[in-house]
Amino acid sequence: MNADVRGARAARVVAFAVLVLALLAAHGCSLAKVRRPVPRDLLDAARIPGAPHARMWGDELPDDFDDRLELLAAQTRRAGEGGRSGTYNLLAISGGGPDGAFGAGLLKGWSESGTRPEFRIVTGVSTGALIAPFAFLGPDYDDELERLYTETSTRDLVSKRGPIRAIMSDALTDTTPLRKRIAELVDEQMIEDIAAEYEKGRRLLVGTTNLDARRPVIWNLGAIAALGGPDSQYLIEQVILASASIPGFFPPVHIDVEADGRRFDEMHVDGGTTTQVFLYPVAIDLQSAAGKIGVSGTRRIYVIRNSRIDPPWSPVAARLLPIAKASISTLISTQGVGDLYRLYLQATSHEIDYKLAYIPAEFSAEAEEEFDAGYMIELFSLGYEMARDGYPWMNSPPGLEKGRAP
């Protein structure tokens, strides 16, 4: 092959490469969302229009914390709970993707055992955010929760994007199916029920991650529900979707806010990016807060970890993607166990009884896709059977074995 032919071919290759890059750039521009992120100096001032108590940072107390506490105290008194003693039960539900089927099954089995209490506070992250509203509203919603985790597969939640579209956009998948599913579940009746319980002094909290700020955000779904109207319902749907939006796999959720008289948008992703499970900001003095609210008695937190404590052994292929996937999975698992210790420290320092449930190491089923219906049915059944027969709650995280709870 002479130099002229080689030169002509090289020119065609270069021209083709330039054309592909130009097409990719144009395609990317058409997909990119034009943003107005909140400036750093306005992060603390950003608010949801018309919803002053909708949220707070997960790592510090809000400036209006005393006002929120006073509102909670007033609601508690109106509900006839003020000044009463008894057991105040709290529930924290972790992330875990399809492994949320374990927590869903546990809750239903717990109901059927006849020992499931009403929770004063329910928190959820990621798949836990999907479970939390059902757990908050009680056994009447168990059947809907069961359907969510036993009649769902990957195609019911996401649609895959082509390679070029995925690279040039914000995620590998499109979560329109999941968004529609959440809208069907979080209907007008559920919003009304959540609002009614909020007015009794109960709290339903969901965690997301503000990706611009790299900080956890705690959303008060009851306060949002109490506002009423379609905007309230839409915001709750947005928050639940954001909490479950695994970065890279699911697109982030953009939420409109106001600050300094101007409109901006925040980018929110999976709450598990910053914390896998939570109860309230560490800075809260629960003893003092309980006194101001006028409640006393035993406090107990139940923690449902929708994952194993010890990840199963699995050989990793010596290639970039398998190594990256295994490394990220290990990081998430380790963070999740660390969050159990953090929550245990919070509980013990505030004299709260700690009860932990997690997927046992003996569970060996393997999923064939991201959200494998057969796998989730088997895991739901495991959680259901363990709780129906009296779940063996742990009194401490792994490594601090104090034994099983009574």
XYZ file of all heavy atoms in Angstrom, residues 98 154 157-161 166 169-175 178 244-252 269-270 325 369-371:
236
model
N -32.937 -3.818 45.578
C -33.914 -4.913 45.601
C -33.961 -5.642 46.941
O -34.955 -6.303 47.245
C -33.432 -5.836 44.477
C -31.982 -5.516 44.302
C -31.876 -4.048 44.576
N -37.032 -5.267 36.790
C -36.234 -4.138 36.306
C -36.999 -3.291 35.299
O -36.996 -2.058 35.372
C -34.922 -4.630 35.667
O -34.224 -5.467 36.609
C -34.035 -3.466 35.274
N -39.249 -0.530 36.480
C -38.647 0.596 37.191
C -37.816 1.505 36.298
O -37.786 2.725 36.499
C -37.771 0.083 38.344
C -38.474 -0.805 39.378
C -37.469 -1.281 40.417
C -39.621 -0.067 40.038
N -37.114 0.914 35.325
C -36.224 1.711 34.476
C -36.273 1.214 33.038
O -36.671 0.080 32.769
C -34.756 1.646 34.968
C -34.616 2.211 36.369
C -34.228 0.207 34.919
N -35.879 2.074 32.134
C -35.647 1.667 30.753
C -34.205 2.039 30.413
O -33.741 3.129 30.764
C -36.622 2.370 29.799
O -36.537 3.776 29.928
N -33.511 1.118 29.787
C -32.092 1.329 29.511
C -31.907 2.322 28.359
O -32.682 2.332 27.402
C -31.410 0.003 29.178
C -31.360 -0.960 30.348
C -30.625 -2.233 29.986
C -30.559 -3.178 31.179
N -29.845 -4.444 30.837
N -30.875 3.131 28.472
C -30.512 4.050 27.399
C -29.417 3.424 26.546
O -28.621 2.617 27.027
C -29.999 5.363 27.993
C -31.092 6.195 28.679
C -30.520 7.369 29.429
N -31.580 8.276 29.885
C -31.393 9.258 30.754
N -30.198 9.466 31.278
N -32.398 10.049 31.108
N -26.462 7.219 26.938
C -26.068 7.066 28.341
C -24.813 7.874 28.651
O -24.739 8.568 29.672
C -25.836 5.589 28.651
N -25.581 11.675 28.663
C -26.635 12.189 29.533
C -26.225 12.005 30.988
O -25.041 11.911 31.305
C -27.966 11.502 29.220
O -27.880 10.110 29.436
N -27.196 11.913 31.896
C -26.886 11.915 33.326
C -26.961 10.553 33.999
O -26.737 10.451 35.203
C -27.809 12.896 34.059
C -29.287 12.623 33.768
O -29.594 11.616 33.093
O -30.131 13.423 34.208
N -27.271 9.485 33.236
C -27.373 8.161 33.855
C -27.480 7.084 32.782
O -27.771 7.371 31.615
C -28.581 8.096 34.787
N -27.279 5.860 33.209
C -27.374 4.731 32.294
C -28.815 4.385 31.948
O -29.074 3.736 30.938
C -26.699 3.498 32.920
C -25.193 3.605 33.175
C -24.704 2.361 33.920
C -24.439 3.761 31.860
N -29.751 4.800 32.806
C -31.153 4.434 32.595
C -32.065 5.649 32.677
O -31.667 6.723 33.130
C -31.622 3.403 33.638
O -31.588 4.016 34.937
C -30.746 2.165 33.624
N -33.298 5.432 32.270
C -34.357 6.433 32.387
C -35.350 5.896 33.420
O -35.834 4.763 33.298
C -35.027 6.600 31.017
C -36.140 7.651 31.033
O -36.677 7.937 32.120
O -36.492 8.163 29.966
N -35.651 6.676 34.450
C -36.513 6.194 35.535
C -37.975 6.621 35.375
O -38.722 6.647 36.353
C -35.990 6.692 36.896
O -35.756 8.102 36.819
C -34.720 5.988 37.287
N -40.315 4.139 37.014
C -40.317 4.230 38.476
C -41.078 5.469 38.936
O -41.836 5.419 39.916
C -38.882 4.265 39.013
C -38.724 4.471 40.529
C -39.461 3.388 41.304
C -37.242 4.511 40.910
N -34.099 7.329 46.093
C -33.833 6.016 45.507
C -32.984 6.076 44.240
O -32.744 5.052 43.612
C -35.159 5.318 45.203
N -32.523 7.281 43.875
C -31.821 7.452 42.600
C -30.323 7.199 42.748
O -29.545 8.095 43.081
C -32.074 8.857 42.048
O -33.429 8.994 41.672
N -29.929 5.957 42.486
C -28.529 5.546 42.587
C -27.711 6.332 41.560
O -27.984 6.261 40.356
C -28.391 4.039 42.296
C -29.333 3.240 43.201
C -26.953 3.582 42.464
C -29.557 1.813 42.761
N -26.718 7.105 41.987
C -25.949 7.942 41.049
C -25.318 7.113 39.933
O -24.741 6.053 40.175
C -24.870 8.570 41.946
C -25.438 8.529 43.313
C -26.258 7.277 43.379
N -25.454 7.614 38.726
C -24.887 6.924 37.575
C -25.861 5.940 36.955
O -25.986 5.864 35.736
N -26.561 5.175 37.789
C -27.525 4.207 37.277
C -28.879 4.862 37.054
O -29.518 4.653 36.026
C -27.649 3.031 38.255
C -28.485 1.898 37.734
C -28.098 1.193 36.603
C -29.654 1.516 38.376
C -28.867 0.137 36.114
C -30.443 0.464 37.904
C -30.030 -0.223 36.769
N -29.342 5.662 38.015
C -30.576 6.434 37.901
C -30.220 7.904 37.728
O -29.254 8.389 38.318
C -31.434 6.305 39.158
C -32.057 4.954 39.382
C -32.828 4.721 40.509
C -31.884 3.916 38.481
C -33.416 3.482 40.739
C -32.459 2.678 38.693
C -33.228 2.455 39.819
N -31.006 8.664 36.968
C -30.754 10.099 36.837
C -31.004 10.822 38.159
O -31.855 10.405 38.947
C -31.782 10.566 35.787
C -32.258 9.328 35.120
C -32.145 8.225 36.132
N -30.271 11.903 38.431
C -30.568 12.713 39.616
C -31.905 13.406 39.451
O -32.436 13.523 38.343
C -29.412 13.718 39.654
C -28.952 13.803 38.235
C -29.157 12.451 37.645
N -29.721 13.119 44.825
C -29.544 11.707 44.483
C -29.758 10.856 45.728
O -30.116 11.364 46.792
C -28.138 11.436 43.894
C -27.944 12.201 42.588
C -27.041 11.799 44.904
N -29.516 9.576 45.567
C -29.694 8.568 46.607
C -29.184 9.051 47.968
O -28.032 9.450 48.108
C -28.923 7.312 46.185
C -29.262 6.096 47.005
O -29.653 6.242 48.171
O -29.116 4.982 46.472
N -16.927 -2.036 39.999
C -18.214 -2.416 40.595
C -18.022 -3.052 41.960
O -18.719 -2.720 42.934
C -18.956 -3.371 39.661
C -20.337 -3.760 40.176
C -21.058 -4.672 39.187
C -22.450 -5.063 39.709
N -23.147 -5.963 38.748
N -30.782 -10.246 37.502
C -30.805 -8.904 36.954
C -30.874 -7.925 38.117
O -30.944 -8.343 39.279
C -31.991 -8.708 36.009
C -33.348 -8.973 36.667
C -34.501 -8.727 35.706
O -34.737 -7.541 35.399
O -35.149 -9.694 35.265
N -30.822 -6.633 37.835
C -30.759 -5.643 38.907
C -31.933 -5.766 39.874
O -31.763 -5.749 41.090
C -30.724 -4.231 38.307
C -30.388 -3.143 39.314
C -28.984 -3.246 39.848
O -28.083 -3.714 39.125
O -28.780 -2.856 41.014
N -33.156 -5.875 39.327
C -34.347 -6.054 40.160
C -35.043 -7.332 39.697
O -35.961 -7.289 38.882
C -35.260 -4.830 40.062
C -34.644 -3.581 40.634
C -33.916 -2.721 39.814
C -34.773 -3.272 41.973
C -33.327 -1.577 40.333
C -34.192 -2.129 42.502
C -33.461 -1.280 41.679
